[in-house]
Amino acid sequence: MAVWSLAWCSQSRRARLHGVGTVNLLRLAKQLAESAETAAQEAGLSISMCIIDEHGNVVLKHRMDGATLISIEMSEGKAYTAAALQAPTDKISELVLPGQPLFTLASVSGGRYVAFGGGLPLPVDGKCIGGLGISGGTSEQDTLIAHKVLGRDWFAAAT
């Protein structure tokens, strides 16, 4: 898995924040939170969003009015998982089923890993600078919002 996940980020070299040299992750996180709220409102959802840095530290948590209590914790877990594995969380969900290579993932790291869709790594210039986690809808809805938040061109190299 580590080889595949690192390849996902390195394939995203063209996925850059336009005009950004050194990334101010807090400023970026605030912009992503605003975008996430807009995308969630368009989808008729109340969500929570979390940005984690490359070391697993929370940079920002954002919870919309009406978002479920568990969504704030789930968004952090999705962001952490995406940053730690450097892969979208919806891509690892099948790998954690019984008999699969990452079956024990949920039981390691104090249960911090979450293998539901809605978590994406944040690649900038071929380096993962953190993770984004969205929670509040179905896994498919959370994944769609996460992709909308980051913008299609960010992921053009990976798809």
Side-chain angles (χ1 to χ4, degrees):
M1 180 62 193
V3 172
W4 176 83
S5 62
L6 290 174
W8 190 87
C9 273
S10 65
Q11 289 174 4
S12 298
R13 283 190 188 166
R14 292 182 292 148
R16 301 169 190 217
L17 294 173
H18 303 290
V20 175
T22 303
V23 176
N24 179 324
L25 194 51
L26 179 57
R27 186 175 355 168
L28 174 62
K30 289 176 181 178
Q31 293 169 350
L32 295 177
E34 201 172 298
S35 180
E37 188 163 336
T38 299
Q41 287 171 338
E42 290 170 358
L45 297 170
S46 292
I47 56 112
S48 292
M49 185 209 79
C50 184
I51 298 289
I52 297 282
D53 70 14
E54 64 190 308
H55 306 290
N57 301 306
V58 173
V59 175
L60 181 132
K61 286 186 179 184
H62 181 81
R63 182 183 170 273
M64 293 174 63
D65 289 342
T68 59
L69 178 61
I70 196 169
S71 68
I72 193 75
E73 186 176 336
M74 292 294 285
S75 67
E76 182 178 343
K78 291 175 183 184
Y80 180 85
T81 304
L85 299 180
Q86 299 182 7
T89 56
D90 66 327
K91 302 294 184 199
I92 63 163
S93 59
E94 292 182 16
L95 298 173
V96 299
L97 297 174
Q100 297 303 311
L102 297 178
F103 176 60
T104 60
L105 182 67
S107 64
V108 298
S109 189
R112 205 163 174 200
Y113 291 105
V114 174
F116 299 121
L120 296 173
L122 299 173
V124 174
D125 293 332
K127 179 180 186 264
C128 287
I129 63 165
L132 161 72
I134 301 287
S135 184
T138 64
S139 287
E140 292 80 14
Q141 290 169 322
D142 293 346
T143 299
L144 181 62
I145 290 171
H147 280 280
K148 281 184 178 181
V149 166
L150 295 183
R152 295 287 175 205
D153 57 30
W154 194 329
F155 288 93
T159 56

